[in-house]
Amino acid sequence: MGKTTNTKAPPEPSAKGKLVLVDVPKARWWKMPFKFLGWVALTGATAAVMGYGFVVWKYSDGLPSFPKPEEYRPPILSEVYTQDAVLAGEFYNERRKVVPYERIPKRLVQAFIAAEDADFFDHFGIDVFGTSRAVFKTVMKKVTGAGKVQGGSTLTQQTAKAVLISTEGYKESTAKTIKRKIREALLARRLESELTKEQILYLYLNNVYLGHHSYGVQSAAENYYRKDVKDLTLAEMALLAGLPQAPSAFSPFTQPEKARKRRQYVLGQMLQKGMITKVEHDEASKDEVSVFDVEDVFHEFAPYFTEEVRRDVVTRYGNPALLNDGLKIFTTMDSEKQRAAQDSVLWGLLAVDKRQGFRGTLGNLATEKERAAFLAKADKAMGTEVITPGRSYVALVSSLESNGASAEVLIGKQKARLPALGLRWARTLNAEQYYPNVLINSVKAALKENDLIIVRAVADVKGLTDDGETRNDAMAKDVATDLPLVRLEQEPELQSALASIDPQRQYLVAMVGGYDFDANEFNRAFQACRQPGSSFKPIVYATAFEKLEWTQGTVLVDSPIVYDDPENQNRWKPANYDEDFKGEVLVRTALVNSMNLPAIKTFIEIARKLGAKNEKVGIEAFADFIRTLGISNHADTNEDGVVDSPVNHNYSTALGSTCMFPLELVNVYATINRLGAKKPTYFVRKIEDRFGRTVEDHTAWDDPWASLQDRVAAGYARLDEPGEQVFSRETAFLVTDLMRGVVREGTGAAASRLGKPAAGKTGTTNDSFDAWFTAFTRDLVTTAWVGYDLNKHPLGRYETGGRAALPIWLAYMTRALQGRNQPEFDPPAGLDIVRRRVDKKTGKLANGKGTVDLWFKRGTEPEDSEPEAGAMGSEQFMMTP
């Protein structure tokens, strides 16, 4: 038996002084590590709690409150619509449309969860390991300068980040800092504690940025696929769900292959997690990555009109409201009329510009190297496209026929033929030459080999010319058609504007402010103050009817006049356009034929009457009167703060020397059309806020595109808007009847080709710097202007309002009124007027030849009869001017 070790402790003295042996258990060494770990855990937990409390205390201060789903008001886009509900423009800081969670397809929700956060329904809002890793790597990046700053976010954290961005700004809320990650995590925990998972998904899917201005799934569905989100296919859903990680890197526009691979990853995740079947996975995988170009509705549809709407809304409501508050702005624009206006202006402008002559080629490529480089670039731009009628191209002249009958041109590697018939207009610039007399018949007169030119492809020989002046049947017969045909074009220097009003509804239904908005945003319809020329004369005669009690049969003397202006030390000797004098003429004859001298003499009489024989005072009184017509928007304020008169203080005012905006002029004609009632013209019909509540409403009671509720409400509102009667109804009708004569037989006779009753007036300024035609039917009042922004040279010696502007008006009105009958301008019931047949020369009552039927205000009609020819007293004497 071996030696036994004594395990008892030394004896301790007892209370009675005796020694007593006590057993002490032996310590178990293996318990020590557990005790240590317990201590560490307890201490660590305490430290963690304290650390978490410190973090919450330090970083939660100022955290934004997040909205309840029912209170969710993110920035959303504002939309501009035409009268007939066509989208015309969008304005936004973030292109977002909010859709209810119930409208978002379940498969799309699953696709985002599979791609971004597979454990979304199981975690408490934070990816602890991912966030910790991101924090650690951020610290290491700051300390060592090496490594990548990483993120690690759940869908909840991404939603929290979006909330921070919306309240604290993008820069602060996306900074790669520990503070930002901690604040994001804290806010994510709040989201998880106060919202359901579905509510978090609602916020996330309406906030997530998916590239190309798309915020939220609805915006992305529209941008990429032009669909509502509920109509997306599985492949389309998977592609969108793959974008949040890197919208630019996986863009289907710029990186289609990367987008396809990312889509496959999402589909694979969905299959792995049992969200879709293998058949669905395989079918979706076969789909091509095909998306639409992002629409730029603003620039593509009606930029001048929509920009004017934007300016107006910003002025009255502020830019933040337009960009963030989701306004729905319904304009008065009619989409079909607007297209007709834009097409007519473009067509007419190019025609007038060509009549000015050819300003030359784009250049000449003299070396083989230059030609090869250009053709390679052009061929790349063409791609697989073939030369298409109606399209414009930059072409290289490769050869000219020896007889000048045509030129062969290269568009990339494709050949085309430019016959001489397609460039007859291309004479050297000369404003003094009469266009039809100087047409060219050989391509050699305008081009040489290796020239760079602009051409437009045409379908056949008929497309080589725009009008009868350049058409030549003999040349057309000889045109070779072995190659695609093109005609010569050039970018116009000229500008044009058109404004069209529905006078009864008070709607601006169409408006064009220039040739190319992208090249120049200056809106000539609203902002270009130009001399209206003879378009102003109806206002002069209307004033004479109103203030002087003149009639259509008042006799004027068309004879020379000289006006000395001592203040400016000059002498003015006006003349008629044809430099002829007719002697005695009726007011009707003077306006129908746009005579200058009778208009000036009428204006002098008005000034004398209004100024009690003081012409200077009378001109100022005339200025006050026409302000009531709305011709004062451009008046300037002088140094004393007084608004200067917009009217020139001399007799040239009678000939339209006072500048006016096209919109002003068409408004005055609309007033005449309404029998003298001046009313506002609207280009914004109605505005609604994001909840569909009406902010303002100017709907006409008979607007066929408006809801019954809007029309009824508007009908009552318009009762408080009777307008201001600036002319008597009788005066307005008399002027309308005179302008009806202008279209029937005067300077605007070409407008009769409309085939509908119209009344209007041409306008041409000195040296043809401005050409106008303003006219109306019962339902539509339209003005067309043509001119240069800067008057470097006139339009051309023969470019009058009837030749340059009237064709634009006619082309527009023909389309705008297609299928709509227009009644004749018969006097409405209640007008106190009578009709008499008078002598064309004297204005006296007459029968037989040389007579005309005129309207008179009752009591002003002539009573004297014209003696029969040969009777005593029938001789006529000329009045001395």
Side-chain angles (χ1 to χ4, degrees):
M1 191 172 180
K3 185 177 180 180
T4 301
T5 304
N6 185 4
T7 58
K8 293 184 178 180
E12 294 183 7
S14 67
K16 295 181 180 180
K18 295 180 179 180
L19 291 176
V20 177
L21 296 179
V22 179
D23 288 337
V24 178
K26 185 179 179 181
R28 294 181 174 84
W29 62 269
W30 50 271
K31 290 185 179 181
M32 294 303 295
F34 289 100
K35 290 182 179 180
F36 177 74
L37 289 175
W39 176 83
V40 169
L42 181 61
T43 306
T46 303
V49 171
M50 294 178 63
Y52 178 74
F54 174 77
V55 166
V56 172
W57 170 77
K58 181 173 178 60
Y59 293 107
S60 64
D61 185 44
L63 272 178
S65 59
F66 53 85
K68 301 295 183 185
E70 63 273 13
E71 300 170 350
Y72 181 47
R73 308 285 186 271
I76 57 177
L77 83 165
S78 292
E79 297 170 305
V80 179
Y81 289 94
T82 67
Q83 178 195 4
D84 45 339
V86 175
L87 182 66
E90 297 176 335
F91 298 101
Y92 50 81
N93 278 323
E94 299 175 1
R95 191 189 186 281
R96 176 186 289 106
K97 289 185 177 180
V98 176
V99 288
Y101 182 74
E102 295 74 23
R103 269 191 57 201
I104 301 172
K106 177 183 176 183
R107 281 286 171 80
L108 183 58
V109 176
Q110 290 175 325
F112 273 93
I113 290 174
E116 293 291 311
D117 188 359
D119 298 324
F120 174 73
F121 283 101
D122 299 322
H123 61 59
F124 59 93
I126 302 173
D127 179 358
V128 177
F129 292 108
T131 301
S132 300
R133 182 174 64 252
V135 171
F136 175 76
K137 294 214 169 187
T138 300
V139 172
M140 294 304 295
K141 173 72 174 174
K142 289 182 174 292
V143 173
T144 66
K148 296 171 101 178
V149 177
Q150 291 189 353
S153 298
T154 64
L155 291 183
T156 310
Q157 286 175 276
Q158 292 181 46
T159 304
K161 182 178 179 179
V163 173
L164 288 170
I165 289 173
S166 65
T167 56
E168 299 180 356
Y170 181 83
K171 183 177 180 180
E172 179 72 19
S173 302
T174 57
K176 304 297 184 180
T177 63
I178 296 173
K179 175 183 176 181
R180 196 269 299 174
K181 290 298 295 182
I182 292 174
R183 285 171 61 80
E184 179 186 294
L186 292 174
L187 189 56
R189 282 297 306 132
R190 286 190 187 177
L191 285 168
E192 286 281 347
S193 63
E194 298 186 30
L195 300 180
T196 66
K197 291 288 187 178
E198 288 75 14
Q199 290 173 328
I200 293 171
L201 283 171
Y202 164 72
L203 296 178
Y204 172 79
L205 293 171
N206 281 298
N207 256 307
V208 61
Y209 179 61
L210 298 172
H212 298 281
H213 307 292
S214 303
Y215 287 83
V217 291
Q218 177 65 29
S219 179
E222 293 178 0
N223 268 359
Y224 291 112
Y225 299 111
R226 298 184 187 174
K227 290 183 177 182
D228 190 278
V229 67
K230 64 182 175 58
D231 298 321
L232 293 173
T233 66
L234 176 60
E236 292 165 348
M237 295 176 188
L239 189 142
L240 295 185
L243 292 174
Q245 187 180 94
S248 297
F250 298 130
S251 168
F253 294 113
T254 59
Q255 304 289 341
E257 183 56 28
K258 289 184 178 180
R260 188 191 65 78
K261 289 180 179 179
R262 179 64 177 168
R263 185 189 68 181
Q264 288 307 110
Y265 166 78
V266 177
L267 289 171
Q269 290 294 103
M270 295 181 74
L271 176 62
Q272 181 181 331
K273 293 171 174 55
M275 298 174 176
I276 58 176
T277 66
K278 183 70 167 61
V279 173
E280 290 173 321
H281 171 275
D282 294 345
E283 286 297 318
S285 299
K286 293 176 185 177
D287 283 3
E288 293 291 329
V289 174
S290 178
V291 292
F292 289 94
D293 291 334
V294 176
E295 286 186 291
D296 186 356
V297 181
F298 175 89
H299 288 88
E300 292 173 0
F301 189 73
Y304 282 109
F305 200 120
T306 308
E307 171 61 12
E308 202 59 40
V309 171
R310 185 199 68 80
R311 286 159 53 93
D312 176 67
V313 172
V314 167
T315 299
R316 296 188 292 120
Y317 296 100
N319 206 42
L322 179 69
L323 297 180
N324 299 320
D325 289 356
L327 302 177
K328 277 195 173 181
I329 304 163
F330 299 91
T331 71
T332 60
M333 184 201 321
D334 181 295
S335 63
E336 292 301 319
K337 291 183 177 64
Q338 182 65 29
R339 291 188 186 98
Q342 291 172 173
D343 291 346
S344 301
V345 166
L346 177 61
W347 166 81
L349 198 54
L350 291 174
V352 179
D353 187 74
K354 285 180 178 179
R355 294 202 292 267
Q356 310 305 298
F358 186 43
R359 289 187 294 276
T361 66
L362 301 178
N364 186 275
L365 304 182
T367 69
E368 183 61 35
K369 182 178 179 181
E370 289 176 319
R371 293 192 289 273
F374 166 75
L375 291 174
K377 186 176 181 181
D379 189 57
K380 183 178 180 181
M382 288 291 291
T384 58
E385 179 187 346
V386 296
I387 297 173
T388 306
R391 295 287 301 273
S392 294
Y393 305 94
V394 177
L396 176 69
V397 179
S398 56
S399 64
L400 304 176
E401 287 190 33
S402 58
N403 62 1
S406 71
E408 189 176 286
V409 301
L410 291 173
I411 302 171
K413 293 181 179 179
Q414 301 178 56
K415 294 181 180 180
R417 187 169 302 284
L418 171 57
L421 190 61
L423 51 66
R424 296 196 73 208
W425 60 272
R427 76 181 197 281
T428 304
L429 288 173
N430 189 333
E432 293 300 312
Q433 294 177 318
Y434 182 51
Y435 170 71
N437 294 341
V438 289
L439 296 174
I440 64 175
N441 296 312
S442 170
V443 294
K444 291 183 176 181
L447 305 176
K448 58 182 181 294
E449 285 189 10
N450 303 322
D451 278 344
L452 281 181
I453 57 175
I454 301 173
V455 298
R456 177 173 295 181
V458 299
D460 51 38
V461 175
K462 294 179 181 178
L464 292 171
T465 56
D466 283 317
D467 52 55
E469 292 172 350
T470 55
R471 202 166 295 132
N472 184 302
D473 292 337
M475 294 176 68
K477 290 179 182 178
D478 297 330
V479 171
T481 57
D482 55 322
L483 296 172
L485 297 178
V486 296
R487 69 185 194 186
L488 183 66
E489 299 286 353
Q490 69 181 358
E491 282 286 308
E493 281 189 348
L494 278 168
Q495 290 292 344
S496 181
L498 182 146
S500 184
I501 294 173
D502 181 329
Q504 306 310 322
R505 293 177 181 148
Q506 300 164 235
Y507 285 179
L508 181 67
V509 294
M511 183 267 288
V512 180
Y515 167 68
D516 184 356
F517 180 85
D518 290 331
N520 189 333
E521 297 181 11
F522 182 64
N523 187 340
R524 293 151 192 87
F526 274 66
Q527 297 172 292
C529 199
R530 309 295 299 211
Q531 294 182 0
S534 297
S535 298
F536 190 77
K537 289 175 183 174
I539 300 172
V540 174
Y541 288 112
T543 308
F545 292 162
E546 198 78 357
K547 303 297 182 181
L548 304 181
E549 297 184 356
W550 283 16
T551 71
Q552 292 184 349
T554 297
V555 177
L556 299 169
V557 180
D558 179 32
S559 61
I561 185 174
V562 176
Y563 174 66
D564 290 317
D565 183 358
E567 289 186 10
N568 298 311
Q569 296 185 345
N570 61 27
R571 170 169 286 189
W572 184 46
K573 297 176 67 176
N576 292 322
Y577 179 77
D578 58 6
E579 299 181 354
D580 191 14
F581 306 102
K582 306 296 184 186
E584 286 187 333
V585 294
L586 305 186
V587 163
R588 180 187 184 278
T589 305
L591 183 63
V592 166
N593 295 288
S594 199
M595 295 177 177
N596 289 337
L597 296 168
I600 294 169
K601 292 178 180 180
T602 300
F603 183 76
I604 292 172
E605 290 302 315
I606 292 171
R608 288 173 178 170
K609 172 75 173 181
L610 296 180
K613 298 188 183 297
N614 186 325
E615 293 175 14
K616 187 173 182 180
V617 174
I619 292 175
E620 184 58 43
F622 177 77
D624 290 338
F625 173 68
I626 69 169
R627 278 198 195 99
T628 65
L629 305 180
I631 309 173
S632 59
N633 295 342
H634 54 286
D636 296 323
T637 303
N638 61 25
E639 295 177 356
D640 300 323
V642 178
V643 176
D644 293 329
S645 167
V647 178
N648 288 334
H649 284 200
N650 55 55
Y651 296 154
S652 69
T653 293
L655 306 183
S657 66
T658 295
C659 78
M660 297 173 65
F661 300 128
L663 188 66
E664 284 182 324
L665 184 62
V666 76
N667 271 328
V668 172
Y669 276 62
T671 295
I672 295 172
N673 179 286
R674 289 189 293 261
L675 293 179
K678 186 183 80 169
K679 297 181 179 181
T681 296
Y682 300 107
F683 52 91
V684 173
R685 178 180 71 82
K686 182 181 178 182
I687 298 179
E688 294 178 351
D689 65 13
R690 68 166 72 206
F691 306 107
R693 298 176 301 199
T694 299
V695 177
E696 65 175 270
D697 192 355
H698 308 289
T699 302
W701 68 269
D702 60 343
D703 186 335
W705 296 100
S707 67
L708 177 61
Q709 180 181 354
D710 286 349
R711 283 183 283 151
V712 170
Y716 284 108
R718 291 284 180 96
L719 293 175
D720 297 327
E721 212 178 69
E724 178 185 359
Q725 197 70 34
V726 293
F727 290 133
S728 70
R729 287 162 53 84
E730 289 77 12
T731 289
F733 175 78
L734 294 179
V735 174
T736 297
D737 185 62
L738 291 181
M739 290 193 290
R740 182 77 182 96
V742 172
V743 172
R744 276 190 174 127
E745 59 190 89
T747 57
S752 62
R753 295 202 297 269
L754 178 65
K756 296 175 172 63
K761 185 69 186 72
T762 54
T764 310
T765 61
N766 271 353
D767 298 319
S768 298
F769 281 119
D770 297 280
W772 300 74
F773 187 65
T774 310
F776 53 83
T777 63
R778 283 290 191 189
D779 292 346
L780 212 54
V781 186
T782 303
T783 188
W785 165 85
V786 176
Y788 292 99
D789 281 338
L790 300 174
N791 293 331
K792 297 178 181 178
H793 53 80
L795 291 175
R797 185 175 180 183
Y798 303 94
E799 295 294 349
T800 62
R803 179 170 169 79
L806 190 153
I808 296 174
W809 180 94
L810 180 61
Y812 164 72
M813 293 289 280
T814 299
R815 285 177 58 180
L817 294 174
Q818 187 174 11
R820 289 177 59 187
N821 293 326
Q822 298 293 291
E824 187 54 83
F825 292 94
D826 297 322
L831 288 192
D832 194 15
I833 59 174
V834 294
R835 194 172 192 180
R836 296 288 184 268
R837 177 162 292 180
V838 302
D839 184 85
K840 281 186 176 181
K841 196 70 175 176
T842 66
K844 294 181 179 180
L845 294 175
N847 293 299
K849 297 181 179 179
T851 63
V852 63
D853 290 334
L854 301 183
W855 290 99
F856 298 87
K857 295 180 183 179
R858 190 179 300 278
T860 66
E861 67 270 24
E863 297 180 353
D864 297 335
S865 298
E866 181 66 23
E868 294 183 7
M872 183 69 67
S874 64
E875 298 87 351
Q876 298 296 309
F877 298 92
M878 296 295 292
M879 295 175 60
T880 302

